[in-house]
Amino acid sequence: MLRIERVLGSRLEPELSEELHRLEHRGAVDVVNVPIADLARRRLLITTRDGVELAIALPRHQKLFDGAVLVLENDSAIVVRAATERWLKLEPRSIADAIELGYHVGNLHWRVRFGGEVLFVALEGRPEDYIARLEDMVASRRVGISVLDEEDEPDHAASEDGHDGHHVHQHDRSH
């Protein structure tokens, strides 16, 4: 396990960028996909795309970010890539279904965003685990479900017309 105790800088910094470019041509840049919810953590156990286990323990003044360079050596590098945040889009079929859905989601302490008449739940695990918690509502078709990936920044604000400001696209997981 490789221990990471500091961020070396951003892949966009000229001196780091040039070295990373050289290593990329040799296929020597590994990537660690960090879920957006984990970027603020200073301690993290995670595995890179190439299977390198990392024990990240950053000082208080540093945090992970998209493009953070964690390792830069003559023959290899490891760079952070912020993983796209995934959402469960829940569409209640009636006001009564919306109230019941809100009750369940609140009791489960799921992180949510509102989008007009739909509720977006941040997926921090397998979608199947979330769907199983709403099994009765899903099976009786009182709540429509789809899994979405954000294409842009995760922190878009809701627009004035009440529609959610996220740019999302749907995957083939409609129920």
Side-chain angles (χ1 to χ4, degrees), residues 8 13 22 36 68 73 81 84 100 103 110 119 122 161:
L8 301 176
E13 294 173 24
R22 182 184 68 77
I36 289 177
E73 298 172 346
R81 179 171 298 141
T84 301
E100 185 177 344
Y103 170 80
W110 289 344
L119 185 64
D161 64 2

Side-chain angles (χ1 to χ4, degrees), residues 92-100:
R93 303 294 184 218
S94 70
I95 292 173
D97 295 335
I99 292 169
E100 185 177 344

Side-chain angles (χ1 to χ4, degrees), residues 95-167:
I95 292 173
D97 295 335
I99 292 169
E100 185 177 344
L101 177 63
Y103 170 80
H104 290 301
V105 168
N107 273 343
L108 294 166
H109 301 283
W110 289 344
R111 188 165 52 94
V112 301
R113 296 237 170 92
F114 299 94
E117 295 181 1
V118 299
L119 185 64
F120 294 97
V121 174
L123 289 173
E124 296 169 354
R126 296 174 346 130
E128 296 81 10
D129 295 338
Y130 287 78
I131 293 167
R133 301 300 295 265
L134 301 171
E135 182 69 33
D136 292 341
M137 295 190 82
V138 173
S140 62
R141 298 198 178 278
R142 293 184 296 140
V143 173
I145 293 186
S146 10
V147 176
L148 310 169
D149 287 342
E150 273 188 347
E151 294 177 345
D152 289 332
E153 300 292 319
D155 294 320
H156 292 294
S159 63
E160 291 180 43
D161 64 2
H163 287 89
D164 154 271
H166 299 287
H167 294 93

Side-chain angles (χ1 to χ4, degrees), residues 60-116:
R60 275 192 169 348
H61 68 279
Q62 286 192 328
K63 68 178 187 173
L64 298 172
F65 56 89
D66 189 43
V69 179
L70 302 180
V71 173
L72 185 58
E73 298 172 346
N74 286 334
D75 59 347
S76 68
I78 299 175
V79 178
V80 170
R81 179 171 298 141
T84 301
E85 192 154 28
R86 298 178 74 205
W87 297 88
L88 194 61
K89 181 181 176 184
L90 303 172
E91 298 180 72
R93 303 294 184 218
S94 70
I95 292 173
D97 295 335
I99 292 169
E100 185 177 344
L101 177 63
Y103 170 80
H104 290 301
V105 168
N107 273 343
L108 294 166
H109 301 283
W110 289 344
R111 188 165 52 94
V112 301
R113 296 237 170 92
F114 299 94

